[in-house]
Amino acid sequence: MWYFLIKQNALETAQYQALQKRALLTEVELFNEPYDNWLVFSIEKDNYQSFMNHLDNEGIAYELMTDRPTRSELLERMR
């Protein structure tokens, strides 16, 4: 499984909906200000290349991880 992390404010509604259709699972990690909310898209190994190509073609910035980050890990990245 691959996990694509994208800041919620980086996506328009249509982009978000298109990514949801491609993902196995979409999770939203909500944080209070001044921190950004994160979207975590879970992608099966077989579909990871096409998902990544889609993000690159759309110019969407992302972080790619092989392990699902915990909420604490996401918060630590923002500090």
Side-chain angles (χ1 to χ4, degrees):
M1 192 70 66
W2 290 89
Y3 301 93
F4 288 82
L5 310 174
I6 301 172
K7 289 185 178 178
Q8 187 175 24
N9 62 2
L11 294 179
E12 297 174 7
T13 303
Q15 290 174 314
Y16 177 63
Q17 291 171 342
L19 293 175
Q20 277 186 306
K21 290 178 184 176
R22 293 174 170 263
L24 181 63
L25 177 67
T26 303
E27 300 171 83
V28 180
E29 287 287 349
L30 300 173
F31 294 96
N32 293 327
E33 287 188 29
Y35 303 111
D36 295 317
N37 296 332
W38 284 89
L39 301 172
V40 181
F41 294 95
S42 301
I43 307 298
E44 294 175 324
K45 290 180 182 180
D46 295 343
N47 298 327
Y48 123 90
Q49 186 67 45
S50 65
F51 194 84
M52 187 169 55
N53 288 342
H54 179 79
L55 292 173
D56 291 342
N57 289 337
E58 290 288 317
I60 299 170
Y62 61 89
E63 293 182 39
L64 180 61
M65 302 186 80
T66 55
D67 294 319
R68 168 70 166 85
T70 65
R71 183 173 173 77
S72 298
E73 290 170 337
L74 288 173
L75 186 58
E76 188 61 36
R77 290 169 168 255
M78 295 185 285
R79 291 188 175 157

